[in-house]
Amino acid sequence: SQVRILALDVDPWSLAPTVNPLVRSPRRVNLWRETVSMGTAPDYTDVREQMVEEGDGGGRLAGAAPRAGKSVLLSNWIVALALDPTAHLHIIDGSAVDFSPVESIADTFVGDPKLKDEEILLAAHATVKKLIAECNRRKPILFQYGTNKLNETISDKHNLGTHWYINDELAAITSVLIGRFKKEVEAFQADLLWLISNGPKYGVFCILATQRPNEKVIPPEMKDLILLRTALYIPSDSGSRAILSQSGTSNRADKLDPNQKGVAISTKAGQYRTHLVEVRDIR
């Protein structure tokens, strides 16, 4: 066995955050073929993610305390999606203010500050149902090819772009409402669970985020289906486990420095610092 020791003479997070290369030099992106840069590791190496794989990938879960960098993390994902002309974005902005600048590039956008939480819930559920219907529409197309997984060739031939259900601040329409709208919340969670589990086979993926990570917001059966989970600073061990499901100091988001914005722990990449991307950069 081997042990790798990294010795640094300066705290890498004390330096200015890096710029996302797709913001610095925008270009067309093919998410079927390439990985995207998310930030830098403590040794300054580039941290990259595969957004789309046949029948897998794309499902993402993010948790963070307020002002810890969750919107920046989401923006790093969204900037890559926005530059892939075959990607369709369906954004549910639970806070109703954070992602309004990207409304113009989304196929579906729910985030009017005049909407009540229960109205956002109904609109989010309608969006999930629409995407489930799209999955069912694609089933016979895949059957023609003797496969149950969408690939780039079939996607191009039948103009089947990827779809991305992006729900920021999931707690606003789940745990906050479950006392008054139990039946509606449970129906939404059941359909969302189906989409998380089955959607990737048909090119439909979910990105979920919350500032209040717990099992009421992200039930274990839902979280366990999402392989790529990322936590920025979260003030409690239980909140960290609600996202990462891991123990050990290096895997605890509550041990991160709350003053070091954008530093995250990923189930796949370990600790890294996200590129600085403002929501307005994506337009």
Side-chain angles (χ1 to χ4, degrees), residues 57 69 87-88 102 120 127 142 151 161-162 175 178 199 204 219 230 235 250 278:
H88 302 274
V102 299
I120 296 177
T127 302
L142 298 186
N151 57 43
T162 56
S175 61
I178 198 164
V204 180
T230 307
S250 63
E278 301 287 351

Side-chain angles (χ1 to χ4, degrees), residues 187-209:
F188 165 70
Q189 289 180 322
D191 283 339
L192 181 59
L193 183 65
W194 188 97
L195 193 64
I196 293 169
S197 177
N198 297 284
K201 293 185 294 187
Y202 307 105
V204 180
F205 308 107
C206 296
I207 297 177
L208 310 176

Side-chain angles (χ1 to χ4, degrees), residues 114-142:
K114 296 178 182 178
L115 292 175
K116 298 178 181 178
D117 287 345
E118 56 267 32
E119 293 174 316
I120 296 177
L121 169 62
L122 293 176
H125 196 181
T127 302
V128 169
K129 288 179 179 178
K130 180 173 66 175
L131 293 174
I132 290 175
E134 177 62 19
C135 292
N136 289 325
R137 186 183 75 84
R138 295 180 177 200
K139 283 182 181 180
I141 298 175
L142 298 186

Side-chain angles (χ1 to χ4, degrees), residues 243-266:
I243 300 295
L244 299 173
S245 297
Q246 297 176 340
S247 59
T249 302
S250 63
N251 294 316
R252 286 180 56 177
D254 58 312
K255 297 298 184 182
L256 294 173
D257 186 343
N259 296 314
Q260 293 180 328
K261 309 298 184 184
V263 178
I265 300 173
S266 164

Side-chain angles (χ1 to χ4, degrees), residues 78-252:
I78 292 174
V79 72
L81 299 177
L83 291 171
D84 184 335
T86 68
H88 302 274
L89 278 63
H90 307 271
I91 300 175
I92 312 298
D93 187 354
S95 65
V97 292
D98 287 345
F99 287 92
S100 56
V102 299
E103 180 177 0
S104 61
I105 65 170
D107 288 59
T108 306
F109 185 86
V110 179
D112 189 333
K114 296 178 182 178
L115 292 175
K116 298 178 181 178
D117 287 345
E118 56 267 32
E119 293 174 316
I120 296 177
L121 169 62
L122 293 176
H125 196 181
T127 302
V128 169
K129 288 179 179 178
K130 180 173 66 175
L131 293 174
I132 290 175
E134 177 62 19
C135 292
N136 289 325
R137 186 183 75 84
R138 295 180 177 200
K139 283 182 181 180
I141 298 175
L142 298 186
F143 182 77
Q144 295 177 29
Y145 295 90
T147 182
N148 65 347
K149 296 180 180 180
L150 183 69
N151 57 43
E152 185 182 7
T153 300
I154 299 174
S155 174
D156 288 346
K157 186 171 182 178
H158 293 271
N159 194 28
L160 301 177
T162 56
H163 287 263
W164 300 80
Y165 176 82
I166 304 169
N167 201 147
D168 186 29
E169 201 36 74
L170 190 63
I173 58 174
T174 54
S175 61
V176 170
L177 294 178
I178 198 164
R180 294 183 292 131
F181 299 92
K182 186 173 186 292
K183 183 184 297 185
E184 290 83 354
V185 170
E186 289 179 345
F188 165 70
Q189 289 180 322
D191 283 339
L192 181 59
L193 183 65
W194 188 97
L195 193 64
I196 293 169
S197 177
N198 297 284
K201 293 185 294 187
Y202 307 105
V204 180
F205 308 107
C206 296
I207 297 177
L208 310 176
T210 181
Q211 292 180 350
R212 289 168 272 190
N214 58 60
E215 292 188 356
K216 291 182 179 180
V217 179
I218 308 290
E221 61 270 24
M222 185 180 294
K223 176 187 63 177
D224 291 344
L225 291 171
I226 302 176
L227 300 182
L228 199 153
R229 306 188 299 276
T230 307
L232 296 105
Y233 173 72
I234 297 172
S236 67
D237 179 34
S238 61
S240 175
R241 288 176 181 270
I243 300 295
L244 299 173
S245 297
Q246 297 176 340
S247 59
T249 302
S250 63
N251 294 316
R252 286 180 56 177

